[in-house]
């Protein structure tokens, strides 16, 4: 359309909504950007300001202004988003338009939506738009955390849900992490349904990136202890960060005093820090200078990760056992003399033979697809034996005996 025709077309669209000829603009909304022209301010502004216009027409006017990115109307769009007397659907459209293309001043103006100071919001749509607009540039972390509450309508995938799934905690500053970790303690994993669980995991991941910031590692250790029984729900992001040996080492040392009196302290350290046999060298260093309770936990871990095939490391552990009685006691099943022919010796020998046979068992090869056999078996299947499809299973050996027929 020519420039003059675009304004006229926009007027026609709005008139159609005003008179009820159009009721839903979802199919034509992607085309609104084509209506951009200098006269749009004159055409749209009356609908944004006049409360006597129909909600459908005002909603369409907001969507056209957003689609054409009419900056001159941003003040009107903000005012509409904050107008507690306007229809909620129109307010939500206006708030989303600000979140999508508003300037910093317009985005900051939506803070009242986040702080729930701007009227009824039964489905958190206005709060979601406010969060998308104002975080992180125009909200303090404390304000954000106060706004992060369970969804009022868990079945709605709307603006609030969209914000929660936008990784908002990656914008947290190191000095805000202790407060955020205290918030995360209240949102432990529970079936993965509530997106706040993912947000809490993002807080933990951000803390792992900033372990040296003041107060972070101490707060993180406390939160991880509270969440230990849910460690199987650890996010991929946290697992990836724990791949760094320095992170595991630093985190474990922060956890020592926290779990020292816990009956499951060793397991908590292993699970929470994702410890592995390659961590034995620094675990050994920590063992010798640790308090008795921590020594017991570390000795238990070291023996569980004992590298029987690594003679050099095994010798280091045996040498340390001479200086650390707790480690020597934990190693006793490995180092104590056993009478040949005794019941214990026979049981251990049988166990070793089981392990040897299991290791020597031939591995299953990749199934081989033999089209001739498959075709023949398909022809044998009758309607009354349709469910005997097990005949096509991989039980039968292939002709050469090396693979199996699929």
């Amino acid at each position: 359309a020519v420039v003059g025709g675009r304004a006229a077309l926009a007027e026609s669209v709005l008139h159609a909504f005003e008179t009820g000829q159009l009721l839903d603009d979802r199919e034509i909304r992607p085309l609104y950007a084509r209506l951009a022209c200098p006269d749009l301010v004159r055409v749209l502004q009356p609908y944004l300001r006049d409360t006597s216009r129909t909600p459908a027409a005002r909603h369409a006017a907001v969507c056209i202004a957003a689609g054409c990115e009419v900056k001159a109307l941003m003040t009107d769009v903000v005012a509409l988003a904050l107008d507690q007397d306007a229809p909620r659907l129109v307010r939500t459209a206006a708030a989303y338009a600000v979140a999508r293309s508003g300037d910093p001043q317009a985005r900051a103006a939506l803070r009242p939506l986040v702080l729930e100071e701007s009227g009824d919001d039964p489905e958190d749509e206005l709060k979601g738009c406010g969060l998308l607009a104002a975080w992180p540039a125009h909200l303090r972390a404390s304000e954000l955390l106060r706004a992060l509450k369970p969804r009022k309508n868990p079945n709605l995938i709307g603006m609030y849900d969209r914000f929660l799934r936008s990784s908002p905690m990656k914008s947290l500053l190191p000095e805000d992490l202790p407060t955020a970790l205290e918030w995360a303690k209240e949102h432990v994993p529970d079936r993965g349904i509530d997106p706040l669980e993912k947000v809490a995991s993002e807080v933990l991941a951000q803390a792992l990136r900033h372990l040296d910031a003041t107060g972070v590692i101490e707060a993180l250790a406390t939160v991880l202890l509270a969440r230990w029984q849910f460690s199987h729900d650890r996010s991929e992001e946290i697992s990836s960060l724990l791949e760094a040996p320095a992170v595991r080492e630093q985190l474990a040392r922060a956890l020592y005093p926290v779990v020292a009196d816990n009956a499951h302290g060793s397991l908590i350290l292993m699970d929470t820090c994702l410890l592995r046999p390659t961590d034995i060298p620094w675990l050994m260093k920590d063992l010798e200078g640790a308090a008795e309770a921590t020594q017991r936990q570390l000795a238990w871990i070291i023996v569980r990760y004992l590298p029987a095939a690594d003679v050099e490391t095994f010798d280091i552990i045996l040498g340390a056992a001479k200086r650390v009685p707790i480690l020597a006691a934990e190693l006793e099943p490995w180092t104590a003399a056993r009478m040949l022919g005794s019941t214990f010796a026979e049981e251990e020998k049988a166990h070793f033979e089981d392990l040897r046979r299991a290791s020597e068992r031939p591995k299953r090869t990749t199934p081989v697809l033999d089209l001739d056999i498959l075709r023949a078996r398909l022809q044998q299947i009758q309607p009354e034996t349709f469910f005997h499809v097990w005949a096509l299973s991989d039980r039968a050996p292939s002709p050469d005996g090396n693979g199996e027929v699929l």
Side-chain angles (χ1 to χ4, degrees):
V2 296
V3 172
R6 293 175 184 174
L9 183 56
E11 288 180 323
S12 298
V13 170
L14 294 173
H15 179 73
F17 278 106
E18 184 72 22
T19 58
Q21 298 174 58
L22 281 176
L23 301 175
D24 192 331
D25 70 345
R26 279 175 290 186
E27 291 188 3
I28 63 174
R29 200 178 300 167
L31 304 175
Y32 283 162
R34 300 184 184 184
L35 297 176
C37 66
D39 283 343
L40 270 186
V41 175
R42 173 186 60 79
V43 173
L44 299 178
Q45 199 166 58
Y47 288 87
L48 298 177
R49 294 182 175 183
D50 188 352
T51 58
S52 67
R53 303 284 187 172
T54 64
R58 301 186 78 192
H59 182 274
V62 171
C63 292
I64 293 173
C68 297
E69 298 186 6
V70 186
K71 303 297 183 184
L73 291 173
M74 191 54 65
T75 300
D76 293 295
V77 175
V78 170
L80 187 53
L82 298 175
D83 183 1
Q84 297 185 32
D85 296 323
R88 193 164 62 249
L89 184 64
V90 178
R91 292 186 67 193
T92 302
Y96 179 64
V98 176
R100 195 177 76 169
S101 55
D103 55 44
Q105 184 178 357
R107 289 171 174 268
L110 294 195
R111 280 172 45 86
L113 300 182
V114 178
L115 304 177
E116 301 183 75
E117 298 172 349
S118 189
D120 191 31
D121 187 17
E123 294 188 325
D124 293 319
E125 289 291 84
L126 292 172
K127 180 169 75 172
C129 291
L131 287 166
L132 288 167
W135 176 256
H138 309 293
L139 279 177
R140 293 188 293 273
S142 58
E143 294 172 327
L144 170 68
L145 295 171
R146 283 198 299 272
L148 297 183
K149 303 172 184 177
R151 296 167 295 172
K152 295 173 184 174
N153 182 358
N155 298 317
L156 176 67
I157 302 177
M159 292 297 106
Y160 184 43
D161 185 86
R162 179 172 179 174
F163 174 78
L164 294 178
R165 298 183 189 279
S166 67
S167 302
M169 293 305 172
K170 289 185 177 180
S171 299
L172 278 176
L173 298 176
E175 56 265 31
D176 297 322
L177 284 169
T179 303
L181 286 164
E182 191 63 30
W183 173 88
K185 191 190 297 185
E186 305 302 321
H187 298 279
V188 297
D190 180 23
R191 299 175 295 167
I193 296 175
D194 189 347
L196 287 177
E197 299 171 20
K198 178 177 179 294
V199 176
S201 291
E202 290 172 9
V203 174
L204 304 187
Q206 190 72 345
L208 285 172
R209 296 187 184 95
H210 300 281
L211 291 176
D212 294 324
T214 303
V216 169
I217 196 166
E218 296 84 0
L220 178 60
T222 302
V223 175
L224 290 174
L225 175 61
R227 293 168 61 98
W228 168 62
Q229 61 266 46
F230 305 102
S231 61
H232 61 281
D233 286 326
R234 182 188 298 108
S235 70
E236 292 183 7
E237 185 178 21
I238 291 176
S239 297
S240 176
L241 291 167
L242 288 172
E243 286 298 310
V247 173
R248 296 197 301 275
E249 184 174 350
Q250 194 172 356
L251 182 59
R253 287 172 178 159
L255 278 167
Y256 291 160
V258 178
V259 303
D261 298 325
N262 193 301
H264 305 293
S266 299
L267 291 173
I268 294 172
L269 287 168
M270 291 171 68
D271 293 346
T272 302
C273 302
L274 283 183
L275 297 179
R276 56 204 67 185
T278 54
D279 294 323
I280 284 180
W282 60 263
L283 288 172
M284 291 291 298
K285 291 179 182 178
D286 292 352
L287 171 74
E288 297 204 38
E292 181 179 338
T294 301
Q295 278 191 341
R296 293 188 185 283
Q297 293 171 350
L298 294 182
W300 191 91
I301 293 171
I302 290 168
V303 171
R304 294 311 174 278
Y305 285 143
L306 202 61
D310 185 345
V311 176
E312 183 178 349
T313 302
F314 200 99
D315 282 345
I316 293 173
I317 294 172
L318 289 177
K322 297 176 181 177
R323 300 185 298 274
V324 183
I326 290 175
L327 179 60
E330 200 67 46
L331 280 170
E332 195 267 345
W334 290 77
T335 58
R338 300 296 179 185
M339 182 67 68
L340 292 178
S342 67
T343 301
F344 181 86
E346 292 302 317
E347 289 175 351
E348 288 297 296
K349 182 178 179 181
H351 179 60
F352 173 78
E353 289 298 324
D354 288 342
L355 291 176
R356 184 184 60 78
R357 283 192 295 270
S359 65
E360 294 176 353
R361 188 177 300 149
K363 294 183 179 180
R364 183 172 178 173
T365 58
T366 303
V368 178
L369 181 62
D370 189 311
L371 294 179
D372 292 333
I373 294 178
L374 179 61
R375 189 179 298 111
R377 292 188 179 179
L378 284 171
Q379 291 172 352
Q380 295 171 3
I381 295 177
Q382 302 300 321
E384 62 272 15
T385 60
F386 177 77
F387 292 103
H388 294 179
V389 185
W390 58 267
L392 299 177
S393 70
D394 57 2
R395 301 181 198 179
S398 63
D400 61 8
N402 294 324
E404 293 186 347
V405 176
L406 183 64

